[in-house]
C-alpha cells in the first residue's frame, strides 16, 4: 500500500494460542516485519543454559547477560535475533528450553536486557522498507508498544492448545507455562485494556488471520 502510514500491530496471548501463524499471515498481507519475541526469550534462555546460568541464582544470570551482544538479521519478513554473532536454530524449541523459558523470563533484569532491543525493531522495519511491524509475545500491547496502532489478545482452550503443540511434534506444557507467565510480577501475560480479544479455540488460523486483517484494514467490526 504505497503512501499508507507505518503501522505497529501487537499480538499477545498464551502458548499455542495462534500468535505466530496469524502474525506471519498479517506480515505477508500488509508487508510488515514479523518479530516473534517468544523466540528472543527462547534464544536468550538457550544461551543462559549454555553458559550454565540458573534462574534461582541471579548472579549467574547477570554475569551471563553482561556479555550478550544482540543483533537482528532480517530473513524474508522475519526479524531473527543473533546472540553474540550466533543465529539460534531448532534448539530454542527443545524440551529443556520449553521447561526453563518461563523461569528465566520472569527475571526483571533479563526482561530489561531485551526491552530496547524489541522497541528497536520498529526502526529496523522502517529501514528495511516494510510498511510496519507485527510483534507477538506476552507484553507487547502492555509494555513494549502500548501505543501500537492495533493490539490483539488471542486465547484458546488449554486442551486445544496442547493438541496444537502435539501436532507440531513438540513436548510443551502450555498450561504450566501460562500459569508462570501470567503470575509473574514483571510484565505478566494479561489482557490489556483496549486490546481486541479473540477466542481461537474453534477457529482455523486462516479465519483468525482474516478477522484481524479486516480490523486492520478498517473493514471489520471488533468482536
Ligand atoms: O511465544 P512462546 O511460547 O515461544 O514464548 C516462550 C516464552 O517466552 C513464554 O513462555 C514466556 C516468554 N515470553 C515473555 O515472557 N514475553 C514475551 N513478550 C514473549 C515471550
Amino acid at each position: 500500500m504505497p503512501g499508507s502510514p507505518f503501522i505497529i500491530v501487537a499480538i499477545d496471548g498464551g502458548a499455542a494460542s495462534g500468535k505466530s501463524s496469524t502474525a506471519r499471515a498479517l506480515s505477508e498481507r500488509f508487508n510488515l516485519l514479523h518479530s516473534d519475541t517468544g523466540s528472543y526469550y527462547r534464544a536468550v534462555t538457550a544461551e543462559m543454559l549454555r553458559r550454565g546460568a540458573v534462574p534461582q541464582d541471579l548472579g549467574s544470570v547477570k554475569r551471563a547477560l553482561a556479555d550478550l551482544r544482540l543483533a537482528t538479521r532480517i530473513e524474508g519478513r522475519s526479524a531473527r535475533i543473533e546472540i553474540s554473532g550466533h543465529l539460534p536454530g531448532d534448539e530454542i524449541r527443545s524440551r529443556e528450553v520449553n521447561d526453563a523459558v518461563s523461569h528465566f523470563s520472569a527475571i526483571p533484569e533479563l526482561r530489561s536486557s531485551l526491552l530496547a532491543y524489541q522497541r528497536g525493531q520498529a526502526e529496523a522495519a522502517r529501514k528495511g522498507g516494510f510498511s510496519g511491524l507485527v510483534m507477538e509475545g506476552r507484553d507487547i500491547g502492555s509494555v513494549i508498544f502500548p501505543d501500537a496502532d492495533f493490539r490483539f489478545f488471542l486465547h484458546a482452550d488449554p486442551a486445544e492448545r496442547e493438541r496444537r503443540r502435539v501436532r507440531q511434534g513438540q513436548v510443551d506444557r502450555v498450561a504450566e507455562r501460562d500459569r508462570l507467565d501470567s503470575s509473574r510480577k514483571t510484565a505478566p501475560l494479561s489482557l490489556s485494556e483496549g486490546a481486541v480479544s479473540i477466542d481461537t479455540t474453534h477457529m482455523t488460523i486462516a479465519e483468525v488471520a482474516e478477522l484481524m486483517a479486516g480490523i486492520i484494514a478498517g473493514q471489520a467490526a471488533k468482536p
Side-chain angles (χ1 to χ4, degrees):
M1 286 183 278
S4 39
F6 185 88
I7 59 166
I8 295 186
V9 180
I11 307 178
D12 289 304
S17 57
K19 300 185 301 292
S20 289
S21 313
T22 53
R24 266 196 299 274
L26 294 179
S27 80
E28 280 181 24
R29 177 95 159 238
F30 296 104
N31 182 35
L32 310 176
L33 180 64
H34 172 208
S35 172
D36 169 7
T37 64
S39 75
Y40 305 161
Y41 281 93
R42 288 170 176 278
V44 170
T45 296
E47 190 64 17
M48 293 291 122
L49 295 174
R50 207 176 64 77
R51 290 172 184 242
V54 285
Q56 300 77 8
D57 175 3
L58 185 58
S60 72
V61 174
K62 282 188 180 171
R63 276 192 298 282
L65 287 175
D67 25 83
L68 292 191
R69 285 179 292 109
L70 305 182
T72 301
R73 188 186 302 181
I74 297 181
E75 281 182 357
R77 291 194 169 80
S78 168
R80 298 188 59 189
I81 195 168
E82 261 184 14
I83 302 191
S84 305
H86 168 71
L87 193 66
D90 287 347
E91 74 273 16
I92 69 167
R93 313 264 160 210
S94 67
R95 185 182 197 140
E96 289 70 29
V97 170
N98 280 344
D99 287 347
V101 65
S102 292
H103 299 284
F104 281 107
S105 304
I107 300 172
E109 286 81 355
L110 189 145
R111 303 197 71 79
S112 332
S113 72
L114 276 169
L115 187 85
Y117 176 80
Q118 292 172 92
R119 291 199 175 135
Q121 305 271 299
E123 198 44 38
R126 283 181 209 276
K127 280 200 188 132
F130 292 91
S131 308
L133 172 72
V134 55
M135 181 173 276
E136 52 160 307
R138 303 292 187 287
D139 60 344
I140 311 308
S142 56
V143 175
I144 308 298
F145 288 118
D147 296 330
D149 301 280
F150 301 94
R151 290 183 294 128
F152 294 99
F153 187 87
L154 305 187
H155 55 105
D157 182 72
E160 168 58 18
R161 294 188 291 128
E162 297 274 359
R163 280 195 291 274
R164 289 177 187 172
R165 280 294 193 253
V166 170
R167 283 200 293 270
Q168 292 164 350
Q170 285 193 42
V171 182
D172 192 2
R173 289 174 300 191
V174 298
E176 172 65 1
R177 273 206 295 131
D178 279 0
R179 191 185 64 72
L180 293 168
D181 296 341
S182 311
S183 60
R184 69 180 176 223
K185 289 206 178 71
T186 312
L189 167 66
S190 61
L191 171 62
S192 56
E193 213 190 311
V196 178
S197 170
I198 303 174
D199 182 348
T200 70
T201 310
H202 303 295
M203 294 173 82
T204 64
I205 290 302
E207 287 167 343
V208 183
E210 196 56 38
L211 176 61
M212 295 163 89
I215 292 170
I216 293 171
Q219 291 156 357
K222 295 177 180 180

